[in-house]
Amino acid sequence: MKPKVVIFSAPSGAGKTTVVKHLLAMPEFNLSFSISACSRKKREGEVDGKDYYFLSADEFRKKIENNDFLEWEEVYADHFYGSLKSEVDRLTAAGKNVVFDVDVKGGLNIKKYYGENALAVFVMPPSVEVLEKRLRDRSTDSEEAIRTRIDKAVYELSFAEKFDVVLVNDKLDETFAKAEKLIGDFLKK
Ligand code: ADP
């Protein structure tokens, strides 16, 4: 069976990491996580080739010129993030299906590249209010960062209809069940 690609995109805080972790723990899906590349400094405890592929800004630019990325973004000056084609090749060569946890625009670019061989899932929060509450409860962001994320989320929600499916993440056990069905059906095709 040809390996397939599953893409999860969502505004920050909608729950894509939670859903992706759940699916990665299910051996029957044979999924492996696509590790992103970035040009920010490695934080304490992070491992190159595990958390990210850490590149210098110049190395990153070179790879952009070589057309090595499926998608990339310069979040701010010299801070690049992206998904390498070579990473997908590495995983599919090992017979794995590949799962991406990427932002909304990146997700759509990856879908465009892989077409029918990819399923693009938009994880939708039940409402902006709930999204805000989850970001607060997660306690990983400052108040200012939360405001920025909410503003960005409102814009990102407008991309939902461009995805193959929208997965509303309200009650987590129901979300997991829906995600399992979606991925199971897609991988069987
Ligand atoms: P993302 O990866 O999209 O930024 P996370 O997976 O980190 O989002 O989820 C954001 C926060 O919301 C986390 O603290 C997570 O535990 C929580 N969360 C995720 N899904 C649900 C849900 N269905 N109900 C309640 N809390 C949730």
Side-chain angles (χ1 to χ4, degrees):
M1 211 166 51
K2 203 172 164 208
K4 290 190 169 148
V5 169
V6 182
I7 305 153
F8 283 90
S9 295
S12 181
K16 63 185 182 313
T17 307
T18 307
V19 174
V20 166
K21 275 204 182 129
H22 174 76
L23 295 170
L24 279 168
M26 301 188 65
E28 62 267 45
F29 293 148
N30 190 30
L31 288 167
S32 271
F33 186 72
S34 169
I35 299 162
S36 298
C38 74
S39 69
R40 70 158 168 77
K41 281 225 167 58
K42 196 159 66 180
R43 295 186 190 126
E44 185 148 344
E46 285 182 331
V47 178
D48 184 34
K50 183 167 173 274
D51 297 292
Y52 283 98
Y53 295 107
F54 290 98
L55 306 171
S56 70
D58 280 341
E59 286 169 334
F60 206 107
R61 281 193 199 91
K62 231 172 246 155
K63 286 188 186 294
I64 294 172
E65 273 168 35
N66 280 340
N67 202 20
D68 288 343
F69 285 101
L70 289 167
E71 55 85 29
W72 61 271
E73 199 178 349
E74 187 172 15
V75 177
Y76 52 98
D78 281 351
H79 277 57
F80 294 95
Y81 289 84
S83 305
L84 286 161
K85 292 174 185 167
S86 59
E87 171 68 352
V88 180
D89 294 343
R90 179 180 78 85
L91 298 173
T92 54
K96 293 290 196 174
N97 296 309
V98 183
V99 62
F100 286 93
D101 173 345
V102 285
D103 80 344
V104 168
K105 283 187 182 165
L108 288 173
N109 282 331
I110 297 168
K111 167 68 187 177
K112 211 158 131 195
Y113 190 84
Y114 288 106
E116 291 299 296
N117 216 33
L119 181 73
V121 183
F122 187 96
V123 182
M124 175 80 97
S127 66
V128 175
E129 289 71 28
V130 171
L131 182 73
E132 188 166 344
K133 180 174 184 316
R134 284 184 192 162
L135 285 171
R136 277 187 213 296
D137 292 348
R138 190 170 70 178
S139 331
T140 53
D141 299 304
S142 67
E143 184 55 36
E144 194 191 340
I146 289 175
R147 285 263 51 95
T148 309
R149 287 195 193 282
I150 295 292
D151 289 345
K152 196 168 171 211
V154 171
Y155 167 69
E156 287 170 330
L157 288 173
S158 67
F159 288 85
E161 64 187 37
K162 297 192 190 324
F163 281 72
D164 296 321
V165 265
V166 173
L167 175 64
V168 178
N169 179 21
D170 189 355
K171 294 210 170 63
L172 199 52
D173 54 343
E174 288 171 17
T175 304
F176 284 166
K178 280 187 281 182
E180 287 168 28
K181 172 97 173 68
L182 272 173
I183 303 312
D185 289 348
F186 172 67
L187 295 179
K188 253 189 273 162
K189 269 203 267 181

